[in-house]
Amino acid sequence: MAVETAERPEAHEVTQEVQTDTSRFQRYRVRTGMFAWMAHRLSGLALVGYLVVHIWGLRALTSPEAFNALIAKYHAPIYKVGEFLLLVAVAYHAMNGLRIVLIDFLGWSPNQKKLFWTLGAVTAVIIAVGGYPSIYALVDHYFLS
Amino acid sequence: MQLNVEIKRYNPEADDAPHWESYEVPADPLDSALSLLLHVKWHIDGTLSLRKSCAHGICGSDAMQINGENKLACSVLVQDLVDSDGETVRFAPLPSAPVIKDLVIDQSRFFEKYRSVKPWLINDEPAPERERLQSPEEHEMIEDATKCIMCGACTHACPSTWADPDYLGPAAMLKAYRYTFDSRDRGTDERLDVVDSEDGLWKCYTIFNCNQACPKEIDITRWLSALKRKAVTS
């Protein structure tokens, strides 16, 4: 035990005034890992929102006429944009999900940045190929016909 | 070169909230970031408070946020932070940590989490005559994780910690990995009870901020993944 002297009294617990910034949003440099996670969260939330609209669309399944009328509405240009964004969200969410599985299940953590860029390239190809019909339909609607 | 050093200052006796202050500091590209702070403290404003001890990346006292990322101030060179004269280097305390004064944070919660994972050898078997031996192969499993210096850069870089202050965080769970995967340890079940919980492993979303922040370049996410696999298979 420390010797107690007049100059150096025994230490007492001091209640300090502590400044805490408890916000869950902190300013921090965004690198690949955090970008991948944020985009995963946002695309996931977007897909949940889409799912609600999608299920809601099924309300028209009561009669063939009502269903056809609803489906006809989906040919409007705004839905082509939505179709494309849906593909972007699904393709990214699926590929980054695969990345997380490879990291967590197979221990591919040391290659996480390479994985991000490789699967990012695959995502871009999926979006380009799969999104062509929607984009073509849009271009056709506004510029060609 | 002449640099503009910005420091997030907070004096609990005078300020209501932290604020930024700027200082002109002469520097050499091969100086450490810590030397910029010490120049401010020794030649410009002596009231600046910061923790430092060995200044050689061993004690882990001077982890802080430098130019938006958590780093060990003594282990990062000026030339790796700025390219030319007149640029700005920004120092702030570790994000989301309670600030006592200026760059000094209250680490008590960080060490509470550390103690909660039982970071010691658990083995009730009778001790051998000399020592509990471990083969080089067995040690290799935990070699990377033993390099941790408990600076807190990783835990305070983790968005899961920012969102949930009770989350154990990468530093504590890396210790759990280090002992769980130690061939001499028998405390796997006890430790998994702690980390396989609501505030444990499953809030690691493989964001990799911890890996990026670690001054010892430990592949923390990799070892937490191994601990996750252990938790679901045992």
Side-chain angles (χ1 to χ4, degrees), chain A residues 18-19 21 26-29 31 33-34 37 104-105 107 109-110 112-113, chain B residues 10 65 68-70 96 98-99 157 162 207-209 212 219 225 228-229:
Chain A
V18 165
Q19 173 76 30
D21 178 7
Q26 299 280 340
R27 293 184 146 277
Y28 203 84
R29 183 161 175 180
R31 300 254 192 193
M34 186 147 75
W37 168 70
D104 263 348
F105 282 72
S109 158
Q112 66 100 357
K113 282 185 188 173
Chain B
Y10 171 68
Q65 195 180 25
E69 268 188 305
N70 291 359
S96 86
V99 177
W162 302 340
I207 301 169
F208 287 97
N209 274 12
Q212 198 74 49
D219 200 344
S225 290
K228 286 175 191 169
R229 290 195 293 274

PDB file of all heavy atoms in Angstrom, chain A residues 18-19 21 26-29 31 33-34 37 104-105 107 109-110 112-113, chain B residues 10 65 68-70 96 98-99 157 162 207-209 212 219 225 228-229:
ATOM      1  N   VAL A  18     -18.087  14.492 -17.387  1.00  0.00           N
ATOM      2  CA  VAL A  18     -17.698  13.815 -18.608  1.00  0.00           C
ATOM      3  C   VAL A  18     -18.609  14.225 -19.747  1.00  0.00           C
ATOM      4  O   VAL A  18     -19.825  14.214 -19.624  1.00  0.00           O
ATOM      5  CB  VAL A  18     -17.713  12.289 -18.392  1.00  0.00           C
ATOM      6  CG1 VAL A  18     -17.686  11.568 -19.719  1.00  0.00           C
ATOM      7  CG2 VAL A  18     -16.538  11.868 -17.536  1.00  0.00           C
ATOM      8  N   GLN A  19     -17.995  14.631 -20.837  1.00  0.00           N
ATOM      9  CA  GLN A  19     -18.745  15.047 -22.008  1.00  0.00           C
ATOM     10  C   GLN A  19     -18.914  13.841 -22.923  1.00  0.00           C
ATOM     11  O   GLN A  19     -17.954  13.241 -23.355  1.00  0.00           O
ATOM     12  CB  GLN A  19     -17.962  16.151 -22.738  1.00  0.00           C
ATOM     13  CG  GLN A  19     -18.521  16.573 -24.069  1.00  0.00           C
ATOM     14  CD  GLN A  19     -19.747  17.446 -23.909  1.00  0.00           C
ATOM     15  OE1 GLN A  19     -19.875  18.162 -22.932  1.00  0.00           O
ATOM     16  NE2 GLN A  19     -20.637  17.351 -24.864  1.00  0.00           N
ATOM     17  N   ASP A  21     -20.583  12.247 -26.417  1.00  0.00           N
ATOM     18  CA  ASP A  21     -21.308  12.372 -27.682  1.00  0.00           C
ATOM     19  C   ASP A  21     -21.797  10.969 -28.028  1.00  0.00           C
ATOM     20  O   ASP A  21     -21.070  10.171 -28.591  1.00  0.00           O
ATOM     21  CB  ASP A  21     -20.374  12.914 -28.769  1.00  0.00           C
ATOM     22  CG  ASP A  21     -21.095  13.017 -30.115  1.00  0.00           C
ATOM     23  OD1 ASP A  21     -22.321  12.801 -30.139  1.00  0.00           O
ATOM     24  OD2 ASP A  21     -20.426  13.311 -31.111  1.00  0.00           O
ATOM     25  N   GLN A  26     -21.407   9.072 -36.252  1.00  0.00           N
ATOM     26  CA  GLN A  26     -20.163   9.769 -35.966  1.00  0.00           C
ATOM     27  C   GLN A  26     -19.494  10.095 -37.287  1.00  0.00           C
ATOM     28  O   GLN A  26     -19.618   9.347 -38.260  1.00  0.00           O
ATOM     29  CB  GLN A  26     -19.245   8.872 -35.121  1.00  0.00           C
ATOM     30  CG  GLN A  26     -19.823   8.466 -33.781  1.00  0.00           C
ATOM     31  CD  GLN A  26     -19.703   9.556 -32.723  1.00  0.00           C
ATOM     32  OE1 GLN A  26     -18.887  10.468 -32.855  1.00  0.00           O
ATOM     33  NE2 GLN A  26     -20.510   9.473 -31.683  1.00  0.00           N
ATOM     34  N   ARG A  27     -18.794  11.256 -37.304  1.00  0.00           N
ATOM     35  CA  ARG A  27     -18.040  11.579 -38.526  1.00  0.00           C
ATOM     36  C   ARG A  27     -16.848  10.632 -38.587  1.00  0.00           C
ATOM     37  O   ARG A  27     -16.043  10.592 -37.667  1.00  0.00           O
ATOM     38  CB  ARG A  27     -17.542  13.018 -38.464  1.00  0.00           C
ATOM     39  CG  ARG A  27     -18.663  14.026 -38.520  1.00  0.00           C
ATOM     40  CD  ARG A  27     -18.070  15.439 -38.544  1.00  0.00           C
ATOM     41  NE  ARG A  27     -18.890  16.315 -39.350  1.00  0.00           N
ATOM     42  CZ  ARG A  27     -18.802  16.410 -40.678  1.00  0.00           C
ATOM     43  NH1 ARG A  27     -17.909  15.698 -41.331  1.00  0.00           N
ATOM     44  NH2 ARG A  27     -19.583  17.234 -41.340  1.00  0.00           N
ATOM     45  N   TYR A  28     -16.747   9.888 -39.657  1.00  0.00           N
ATOM     46  CA  TYR A  28     -15.634   8.942 -39.780  1.00  0.00           C
ATOM     47  C   TYR A  28     -15.351   8.695 -41.246  1.00  0.00           C
ATOM     48  O   TYR A  28     -16.260   8.728 -42.069  1.00  0.00           O
ATOM     49  CB  TYR A  28     -15.983   7.622 -39.070  1.00  0.00           C
ATOM     50  CG  TYR A  28     -14.768   6.825 -38.654  1.00  0.00           C
ATOM     51  CD1 TYR A  28     -14.111   7.098 -37.465  1.00  0.00           C
ATOM     52  CD2 TYR A  28     -14.280   5.807 -39.461  1.00  0.00           C
ATOM     53  CE1 TYR A  28     -12.993   6.384 -37.096  1.00  0.00           C
ATOM     54  CE2 TYR A  28     -13.163   5.084 -39.092  1.00  0.00           C
ATOM     55  CZ  TYR A  28     -12.520   5.373 -37.899  1.00  0.00           C
ATOM     56  OH  TYR A  28     -11.412   4.667 -37.538  1.00  0.00           O
ATOM     57  N   ARG A  29     -14.091   8.474 -41.556  1.00  0.00           N
ATOM     58  CA  ARG A  29     -13.701   8.251 -42.937  1.00  0.00           C
ATOM     59  C   ARG A  29     -14.317   6.950 -43.462  1.00  0.00           C
ATOM     60  O   ARG A  29     -14.195   5.907 -42.833  1.00  0.00           O
ATOM     61  CB  ARG A  29     -12.188   8.173 -43.026  1.00  0.00           C
ATOM     62  CG  ARG A  29     -11.722   8.020 -44.436  1.00  0.00           C
ATOM     63  CD  ARG A  29     -10.280   8.411 -44.528  1.00  0.00           C
ATOM     64  NE  ARG A  29      -9.795   8.145 -45.861  1.00  0.00           N
ATOM     65  CZ  ARG A  29      -8.554   8.393 -46.231  1.00  0.00           C
ATOM     66  NH1 ARG A  29      -7.703   8.906 -45.383  1.00  0.00           N
ATOM     67  NH2 ARG A  29      -8.172   8.133 -47.448  1.00  0.00           N
ATOM     68  N   ARG A  31     -14.327   3.894 -45.698  1.00  0.00           N
ATOM     69  CA  ARG A  31     -13.504   3.017 -46.540  1.00  0.00           C
ATOM     70  C   ARG A  31     -14.416   1.924 -47.103  1.00  0.00           C
ATOM     71  O   ARG A  31     -15.585   1.860 -46.776  1.00  0.00           O
ATOM     72  CB  ARG A  31     -12.398   2.385 -45.690  1.00  0.00           C
ATOM     73  CG  ARG A  31     -11.477   3.421 -45.062  1.00  0.00           C
ATOM     74  CD  ARG A  31     -10.162   3.441 -45.774  1.00  0.00           C
ATOM     75  NE  ARG A  31      -9.174   4.218 -45.036  1.00  0.00           N
ATOM     76  CZ  ARG A  31      -8.023   4.586 -45.566  1.00  0.00           C
ATOM     77  NH1 ARG A  31      -7.723   4.251 -46.803  1.00  0.00           N
ATOM     78  NH2 ARG A  31      -7.155   5.280 -44.866  1.00  0.00           N
ATOM     79  N   GLY A  33     -15.052  -1.204 -46.499  1.00  0.00           N
ATOM     80  CA  GLY A  33     -15.851  -2.017 -45.588  1.00  0.00           C
ATOM     81  C   GLY A  33     -17.086  -1.294 -45.092  1.00  0.00           C
ATOM     82  O   GLY A  33     -18.197  -1.829 -45.114  1.00  0.00           O
ATOM     83  N   MET A  34     -16.913  -0.033 -44.655  1.00  0.00           N
ATOM     84  CA  MET A  34     -18.052   0.716 -44.118  1.00  0.00           C
ATOM     85  C   MET A  34     -19.010   1.103 -45.253  1.00  0.00           C
ATOM     86  O   MET A  34     -20.224   1.087 -45.063  1.00  0.00           O
ATOM     87  CB  MET A  34     -17.599   1.964 -43.354  1.00  0.00           C
ATOM     88  CG  MET A  34     -18.766   2.652 -42.671  1.00  0.00           C
ATOM     89  SD  MET A  34     -18.423   3.464 -41.107  1.00  0.00           S
ATOM     90  CE  MET A  34     -17.580   4.929 -41.571  1.00  0.00           C
ATOM     91  N   TRP A  37     -21.135  -1.897 -46.022  1.00  0.00           N
ATOM     92  CA  TRP A  37     -22.139  -2.121 -44.978  1.00  0.00           C
ATOM     93  C   TRP A  37     -23.287  -1.115 -45.081  1.00  0.00           C
ATOM     94  O   TRP A  37     -24.460  -1.478 -45.008  1.00  0.00           O
ATOM     95  CB  TRP A  37     -21.467  -2.022 -43.600  1.00  0.00           C
ATOM     96  CG  TRP A  37     -22.422  -1.961 -42.460  1.00  0.00           C
ATOM     97  CD1 TRP A  37     -23.220  -2.965 -42.014  1.00  0.00           C
ATOM     98  CD2 TRP A  37     -22.675  -0.835 -41.610  1.00  0.00           C
ATOM     99  NE1 TRP A  37     -23.960  -2.523 -40.928  1.00  0.00           N
ATOM    100  CE2 TRP A  37     -23.642  -1.243 -40.667  1.00  0.00           C
ATOM    101  CE3 TRP A  37     -22.172   0.463 -41.562  1.00  0.00           C
ATOM    102  CZ2 TRP A  37     -24.117  -0.382 -39.681  1.00  0.00           C
ATOM    103  CZ3 TRP A  37     -22.654   1.311 -40.583  1.00  0.00           C
ATOM    104  CH2 TRP A  37     -23.605   0.886 -39.655  1.00  0.00           C
ATOM    105  N   ASP A 104     -17.553 -14.549 -43.154  1.00  0.00           N
ATOM    106  CA  ASP A 104     -17.907 -15.120 -41.859  1.00  0.00           C
ATOM    107  C   ASP A 104     -17.801 -16.641 -41.820  1.00  0.00           C
ATOM    108  O   ASP A 104     -17.398 -17.214 -40.817  1.00  0.00           O
ATOM    109  CB  ASP A 104     -19.326 -14.694 -41.460  1.00  0.00           C
ATOM    110  CG  ASP A 104     -19.315 -13.496 -40.513  1.00  0.00           C
ATOM    111  OD1 ASP A 104     -18.222 -13.177 -40.003  1.00  0.00           O
ATOM    112  OD2 ASP A 104     -20.373 -12.910 -40.275  1.00  0.00           O
ATOM    113  N   PHE A 105     -18.170 -17.306 -42.932  1.00  0.00           N
ATOM    114  CA  PHE A 105     -18.189 -18.766 -42.901  1.00  0.00           C
ATOM    115  C   PHE A 105     -16.856 -19.378 -43.336  1.00  0.00           C
ATOM    116  O   PHE A 105     -16.453 -20.403 -42.832  1.00  0.00           O
ATOM    117  CB  PHE A 105     -19.311 -19.312 -43.796  1.00  0.00           C
ATOM    118  CG  PHE A 105     -20.660 -19.209 -43.161  1.00  0.00           C
ATOM    119  CD1 PHE A 105     -21.282 -17.984 -43.025  1.00  0.00           C
ATOM    120  CD2 PHE A 105     -21.304 -20.344 -42.681  1.00  0.00           C
ATOM    121  CE1 PHE A 105     -22.523 -17.876 -42.428  1.00  0.00           C
ATOM    122  CE2 PHE A 105     -22.537 -20.248 -42.072  1.00  0.00           C
ATOM    123  CZ  PHE A 105     -23.161 -19.011 -41.943  1.00  0.00           C
ATOM    124  N   GLY A 107     -13.896 -17.497 -43.573  1.00  0.00           N
ATOM    125  CA  GLY A 107     -12.748 -16.758 -43.069  1.00  0.00           C
ATOM    126  C   GLY A 107     -11.966 -16.042 -44.158  1.00  0.00           C
ATOM    127  O   GLY A 107     -10.743 -15.996 -44.111  1.00  0.00           O
ATOM    128  N   SER A 109     -11.700 -12.996 -44.640  1.00  0.00           N
ATOM    129  CA  SER A 109     -11.496 -11.607 -44.206  1.00  0.00           C
ATOM    130  C   SER A 109     -10.258 -10.928 -44.802  1.00  0.00           C
ATOM    131  O   SER A 109     -10.327  -9.768 -45.202  1.00  0.00           O
ATOM    132  CB  SER A 109     -11.470 -11.562 -42.677  1.00  0.00           C
ATOM    133  OG  SER A 109     -10.807 -10.439 -42.218  1.00  0.00           O
ATOM    134  N   PRO A 110      -9.097 -11.623 -44.901  1.00  0.00           N
ATOM    135  CA  PRO A 110      -7.924 -10.920 -45.446  1.00  0.00           C
ATOM    136  C   PRO A 110      -8.134 -10.425 -46.878  1.00  0.00           C
ATOM    137  O   PRO A 110      -7.420  -9.537 -47.336  1.00  0.00           O
ATOM    138  CB  PRO A 110      -6.821 -11.992 -45.393  1.00  0.00           C
ATOM    139  CG  PRO A 110      -7.257 -12.940 -44.345  1.00  0.00           C
ATOM    140  CD  PRO A 110      -8.750 -12.967 -44.417  1.00  0.00           C
ATOM    141  N   GLN A 112     -11.012  -9.091 -48.050  1.00  0.00           N
ATOM    142  CA  GLN A 112     -12.308  -8.413 -48.114  1.00  0.00           C
ATOM    143  C   GLN A 112     -12.361  -7.285 -49.147  1.00  0.00           C
ATOM    144  O   GLN A 112     -13.387  -7.086 -49.792  1.00  0.00           O
ATOM    145  CB  GLN A 112     -12.737  -7.922 -46.729  1.00  0.00           C
ATOM    146  CG  GLN A 112     -11.886  -6.836 -46.107  1.00  0.00           C
ATOM    147  CD  GLN A 112     -12.508  -5.462 -46.254  1.00  0.00           C
ATOM    148  OE1 GLN A 112     -13.559  -5.318 -46.878  1.00  0.00           O
ATOM    149  NE2 GLN A 112     -11.868  -4.465 -45.689  1.00  0.00           N
ATOM    150  N   LYS A 113     -11.253  -6.546 -49.332  1.00  0.00           N
ATOM    151  CA  LYS A 113     -11.279  -5.440 -50.308  1.00  0.00           C
ATOM    152  C   LYS A 113     -11.318  -5.975 -51.733  1.00  0.00           C
ATOM    153  O   LYS A 113     -12.074  -5.494 -52.567  1.00  0.00           O
ATOM    154  CB  LYS A 113     -10.071  -4.530 -50.121  1.00  0.00           C
ATOM    155  CG  LYS A 113     -10.258  -3.604 -48.931  1.00  0.00           C
ATOM    156  CD  LYS A 113      -9.150  -2.602 -48.782  1.00  0.00           C
ATOM    157  CE  LYS A 113      -9.323  -1.864 -47.464  1.00  0.00           C
ATOM    158  NZ  LYS A 113      -8.208  -0.982 -47.170  1.00  0.00           N
TER     159      LYS A 113
ATOM    160  N   TYR B  10     -11.888  20.580 -25.254  1.00  0.00           N
ATOM    161  CA  TYR B  10     -13.020  20.631 -24.332  1.00  0.00           C
ATOM    162  C   TYR B  10     -12.487  20.717 -22.916  1.00  0.00           C
ATOM    163  O   TYR B  10     -11.723  19.857 -22.469  1.00  0.00           O
ATOM    164  CB  TYR B  10     -13.909  19.395 -24.485  1.00  0.00           C
ATOM    165  CG  TYR B  10     -14.968  19.285 -23.421  1.00  0.00           C
ATOM    166  CD1 TYR B  10     -16.021  20.192 -23.368  1.00  0.00           C
ATOM    167  CD2 TYR B  10     -14.908  18.286 -22.441  1.00  0.00           C
ATOM    168  CE1 TYR B  10     -16.980  20.119 -22.376  1.00  0.00           C
ATOM    169  CE2 TYR B  10     -15.875  18.201 -21.451  1.00  0.00           C
ATOM    170  CZ  TYR B  10     -16.905  19.116 -21.425  1.00  0.00           C
ATOM    171  OH  TYR B  10     -17.867  19.044 -20.436  1.00  0.00           O
ATOM    172  N   GLN B  65      -8.723  10.182 -32.896  1.00  0.00           N
ATOM    173  CA  GLN B  65      -9.168  10.288 -34.276  1.00  0.00           C
ATOM    174  C   GLN B  65      -8.327  11.334 -34.994  1.00  0.00           C
ATOM    175  O   GLN B  65      -8.331  12.505 -34.612  1.00  0.00           O
ATOM    176  CB  GLN B  65     -10.653  10.651 -34.326  1.00  0.00           C
ATOM    177  CG  GLN B  65     -11.260  10.414 -35.690  1.00  0.00           C
ATOM    178  CD  GLN B  65     -12.725  10.779 -35.737  1.00  0.00           C
ATOM    179  OE1 GLN B  65     -13.178  11.603 -34.960  1.00  0.00           O
ATOM    180  NE2 GLN B  65     -13.466  10.188 -36.656  1.00  0.00           N
ATOM    181  N   GLY B  68     -10.068  12.072 -39.362  1.00  0.00           N
ATOM    182  CA  GLY B  68     -11.267  11.272 -39.595  1.00  0.00           C
ATOM    183  C   GLY B  68     -11.154   9.787 -39.352  1.00  0.00           C
ATOM    184  O   GLY B  68     -12.130   9.063 -39.535  1.00  0.00           O
ATOM    185  N   GLU B  69      -9.975   9.314 -38.976  1.00  0.00           N
ATOM    186  CA  GLU B  69      -9.815   7.880 -38.724  1.00  0.00           C
ATOM    187  C   GLU B  69      -9.090   7.668 -37.405  1.00  0.00           C
ATOM    188  O   GLU B  69      -8.210   8.455 -37.047  1.00  0.00           O
ATOM    189  CB  GLU B  69      -8.967   7.239 -39.832  1.00  0.00           C
ATOM    190  CG  GLU B  69      -9.781   6.684 -40.970  1.00  0.00           C
ATOM    191  CD  GLU B  69      -8.911   5.897 -41.947  1.00  0.00           C
ATOM    192  OE1 GLU B  69      -7.922   6.460 -42.448  1.00  0.00           O
ATOM    193  OE2 GLU B  69      -9.224   4.746 -42.183  1.00  0.00           O
ATOM    194  N   ASN B  70      -9.429   6.567 -36.718  1.00  0.00           N
ATOM    195  CA  ASN B  70      -8.744   6.286 -35.454  1.00  0.00           C
ATOM    196  C   ASN B  70      -7.341   5.750 -35.722  1.00  0.00           C
ATOM    197  O   ASN B  70      -7.165   4.814 -36.488  1.00  0.00           O
ATOM    198  CB  ASN B  70      -9.527   5.264 -34.639  1.00  0.00           C
ATOM    199  CG  ASN B  70     -10.836   5.835 -34.128  1.00  0.00           C
ATOM    200  OD1 ASN B  70     -11.134   6.998 -34.371  1.00  0.00           O
ATOM    201  ND2 ASN B  70     -11.594   5.023 -33.429  1.00  0.00           N
ATOM    202  N   SER B  96     -17.383   8.715 -29.893  1.00  0.00           N
ATOM    203  CA  SER B  96     -18.392   8.168 -28.982  1.00  0.00           C
ATOM    204  C   SER B  96     -17.875   7.873 -27.569  1.00  0.00           C
ATOM    205  O   SER B  96     -18.636   7.466 -26.709  1.00  0.00           O
ATOM    206  CB  SER B  96     -19.057   6.893 -29.557  1.00  0.00           C
ATOM    207  OG  SER B  96     -18.294   5.743 -29.247  1.00  0.00           O
ATOM    208  N   PRO B  98     -16.620   8.855 -23.791  1.00  0.00           N
ATOM    209  CA  PRO B  98     -16.813   9.998 -22.895  1.00  0.00           C
ATOM    210  C   PRO B  98     -15.514  10.801 -22.789  1.00  0.00           C
ATOM    211  O   PRO B  98     -14.453  10.228 -22.567  1.00  0.00           O
ATOM    212  CB  PRO B  98     -17.144   9.344 -21.550  1.00  0.00           C
ATOM    213  CG  PRO B  98     -17.459   7.923 -21.861  1.00  0.00           C
ATOM    214  CD  PRO B  98     -16.723   7.582 -23.104  1.00  0.00           C
ATOM    215  N   VAL B  99     -15.599  12.128 -22.990  1.00  0.00           N
ATOM    216  CA  VAL B  99     -14.404  12.969 -22.957  1.00  0.00           C
ATOM    217  C   VAL B  99     -14.250  13.606 -21.581  1.00  0.00           C
ATOM    218  O   VAL B  99     -15.183  14.225 -21.069  1.00  0.00           O
ATOM    219  CB  VAL B  99     -14.490  14.076 -24.024  1.00  0.00           C
ATOM    220  CG1 VAL B  99     -13.286  14.998 -23.929  1.00  0.00           C
ATOM    221  CG2 VAL B  99     -14.570  13.467 -25.412  1.00  0.00           C
ATOM    222  N   ALA B 157     -13.949   2.773 -33.254  1.00  0.00           N
ATOM    223  CA  ALA B 157     -14.124   2.996 -34.699  1.00  0.00           C
ATOM    224  C   ALA B 157     -15.334   2.225 -35.199  1.00  0.00           C
ATOM    225  O   ALA B 157     -15.707   2.331 -36.361  1.00  0.00           O
ATOM    226  CB  ALA B 157     -12.874   2.534 -35.453  1.00  0.00           C
ATOM    227  N   TRP B 162     -20.921   2.639 -31.601  1.00  0.00           N
ATOM    228  CA  TRP B 162     -21.552   3.962 -31.583  1.00  0.00           C
ATOM    229  C   TRP B 162     -23.048   3.818 -31.326  1.00  0.00           C
ATOM    230  O   TRP B 162     -23.636   4.584 -30.567  1.00  0.00           O
ATOM    231  CB  TRP B 162     -21.365   4.687 -32.920  1.00  0.00           C
ATOM    232  CG  TRP B 162     -19.942   4.880 -33.341  1.00  0.00           C
ATOM    233  CD1 TRP B 162     -18.837   4.846 -32.534  1.00  0.00           C
ATOM    234  CD2 TRP B 162     -19.465   5.128 -34.671  1.00  0.00           C
ATOM    235  NE1 TRP B 162     -17.712   5.047 -33.287  1.00  0.00           N
ATOM    236  CE2 TRP B 162     -18.063   5.230 -34.590  1.00  0.00           C
ATOM    237  CE3 TRP B 162     -20.092   5.280 -35.905  1.00  0.00           C
ATOM    238  CZ2 TRP B 162     -17.269   5.476 -35.708  1.00  0.00           C
ATOM    239  CZ3 TRP B 162     -19.303   5.522 -37.018  1.00  0.00           C
ATOM    240  CH2 TRP B 162     -17.902   5.622 -36.921  1.00  0.00           C
ATOM    241  N   ILE B 207     -17.844  -4.757 -40.778  1.00  0.00           N
ATOM    242  CA  ILE B 207     -17.700  -3.417 -41.359  1.00  0.00           C
ATOM    243  C   ILE B 207     -16.215  -3.099 -41.610  1.00  0.00           C
ATOM    244  O   ILE B 207     -15.884  -2.241 -42.420  1.00  0.00           O
ATOM    245  CB  ILE B 207     -18.363  -2.375 -40.434  1.00  0.00           C
ATOM    246  CG1 ILE B 207     -19.847  -2.719 -40.254  1.00  0.00           C
ATOM    247  CG2 ILE B 207     -18.211  -0.958 -40.965  1.00  0.00           C
ATOM    248  CD1 ILE B 207     -20.546  -1.939 -39.175  1.00  0.00           C
ATOM    249  N   PHE B 208     -15.328  -3.759 -40.897  1.00  0.00           N
ATOM    250  CA  PHE B 208     -13.874  -3.655 -41.082  1.00  0.00           C
ATOM    251  C   PHE B 208     -13.254  -2.333 -40.630  1.00  0.00           C
ATOM    252  O   PHE B 208     -12.087  -2.084 -40.910  1.00  0.00           O
ATOM    253  CB  PHE B 208     -13.465  -3.947 -42.536  1.00  0.00           C
ATOM    254  CG  PHE B 208     -13.575  -5.408 -42.887  1.00  0.00           C
ATOM    255  CD1 PHE B 208     -14.689  -5.906 -43.539  1.00  0.00           C
ATOM    256  CD2 PHE B 208     -12.575  -6.290 -42.520  1.00  0.00           C
ATOM    257  CE1 PHE B 208     -14.800  -7.253 -43.839  1.00  0.00           C
ATOM    258  CE2 PHE B 208     -12.680  -7.643 -42.819  1.00  0.00           C
ATOM    259  CZ  PHE B 208     -13.792  -8.126 -43.486  1.00  0.00           C
ATOM    260  N   ASN B 209     -14.021  -1.466 -39.935  1.00  0.00           N
ATOM    261  CA  ASN B 209     -13.407  -0.252 -39.399  1.00  0.00           C
ATOM    262  C   ASN B 209     -12.338  -0.594 -38.358  1.00  0.00           C
ATOM    263  O   ASN B 209     -11.340   0.110 -38.225  1.00  0.00           O
ATOM    264  CB  ASN B 209     -14.464   0.643 -38.752  1.00  0.00           C
ATOM    265  CG  ASN B 209     -15.125   1.554 -39.755  1.00  0.00           C
ATOM    266  OD1 ASN B 209     -14.969   1.371 -40.952  1.00  0.00           O
ATOM    267  ND2 ASN B 209     -15.867   2.527 -39.274  1.00  0.00           N
ATOM    268  N   GLN B 212      -9.073  -1.520 -40.040  1.00  0.00           N
ATOM    269  CA  GLN B 212      -8.466  -0.339 -40.613  1.00  0.00           C
ATOM    270  C   GLN B 212      -7.820   0.513 -39.520  1.00  0.00           C
ATOM    271  O   GLN B 212      -6.782   1.121 -39.743  1.00  0.00           O
ATOM    272  CB  GLN B 212      -9.549   0.474 -41.340  1.00  0.00           C
ATOM    273  CG  GLN B 212      -9.026   1.465 -42.325  1.00  0.00           C
ATOM    274  CD  GLN B 212      -8.521   0.790 -43.586  1.00  0.00           C
ATOM    275  OE1 GLN B 212      -9.192  -0.044 -44.171  1.00  0.00           O
ATOM    276  NE2 GLN B 212      -7.314   1.158 -44.002  1.00  0.00           N
ATOM    277  N   ASP B 219      -5.848  -8.614 -37.834  1.00  0.00           N
ATOM    278  CA  ASP B 219      -7.026  -8.878 -38.669  1.00  0.00           C
ATOM    279  C   ASP B 219      -8.195  -9.245 -37.748  1.00  0.00           C
ATOM    280  O   ASP B 219      -8.647 -10.394 -37.715  1.00  0.00           O
ATOM    281  CB  ASP B 219      -6.711 -10.009 -39.647  1.00  0.00           C
ATOM    282  CG  ASP B 219      -7.663 -10.021 -40.834  1.00  0.00           C
ATOM    283  OD1 ASP B 219      -8.717  -9.370 -40.737  1.00  0.00           O
ATOM    284  OD2 ASP B 219      -7.356 -10.679 -41.831  1.00  0.00           O
ATOM    285  N   SER B 225     -14.802 -13.632 -36.679  1.00  0.00           N
ATOM    286  CA  SER B 225     -15.536 -14.602 -37.492  1.00  0.00           C
ATOM    287  C   SER B 225     -15.260 -16.022 -36.999  1.00  0.00           C
ATOM    288  O   SER B 225     -16.164 -16.857 -36.938  1.00  0.00           O
ATOM    289  CB  SER B 225     -15.139 -14.489 -38.965  1.00  0.00           C
ATOM    290  OG  SER B 225     -15.609 -13.300 -39.518  1.00  0.00           O
ATOM    291  N   LYS B 228     -17.266 -16.543 -34.026  1.00  0.00           N
ATOM    292  CA  LYS B 228     -18.668 -16.761 -34.388  1.00  0.00           C
ATOM    293  C   LYS B 228     -18.882 -18.224 -34.769  1.00  0.00           C
ATOM    294  O   LYS B 228     -19.859 -18.849 -34.365  1.00  0.00           O
ATOM    295  CB  LYS B 228     -19.058 -15.878 -35.595  1.00  0.00           C
ATOM    296  CG  LYS B 228     -19.242 -14.403 -35.286  1.00  0.00           C
ATOM    297  CD  LYS B 228     -19.510 -13.658 -36.599  1.00  0.00           C
ATOM    298  CE  LYS B 228     -19.440 -12.158 -36.431  1.00  0.00           C
ATOM    299  NZ  LYS B 228     -19.449 -11.451 -37.716  1.00  0.00           N
ATOM    300  N   ARG B 229     -17.952 -18.761 -35.580  1.00  0.00           N
ATOM    301  CA  ARG B 229     -18.090 -20.155 -36.008  1.00  0.00           C
ATOM    302  C   ARG B 229     -18.011 -21.086 -34.799  1.00  0.00           C
ATOM    303  O   ARG B 229     -18.754 -22.056 -34.698  1.00  0.00           O
ATOM    304  CB  ARG B 229     -17.001 -20.508 -37.032  1.00  0.00           C
ATOM    305  CG  ARG B 229     -17.211 -19.819 -38.375  1.00  0.00           C
ATOM    306  CD  ARG B 229     -16.367 -20.452 -39.473  1.00  0.00           C
ATOM    307  NE  ARG B 229     -14.933 -20.241 -39.264  1.00  0.00           N
ATOM    308  CZ  ARG B 229     -14.280 -19.166 -39.676  1.00  0.00           C
ATOM    309  NH1 ARG B 229     -14.909 -18.209 -40.302  1.00  0.00           N
ATOM    310  NH2 ARG B 229     -12.979 -19.048 -39.461  1.00  0.00           N
TER     311      ARG B 229
END
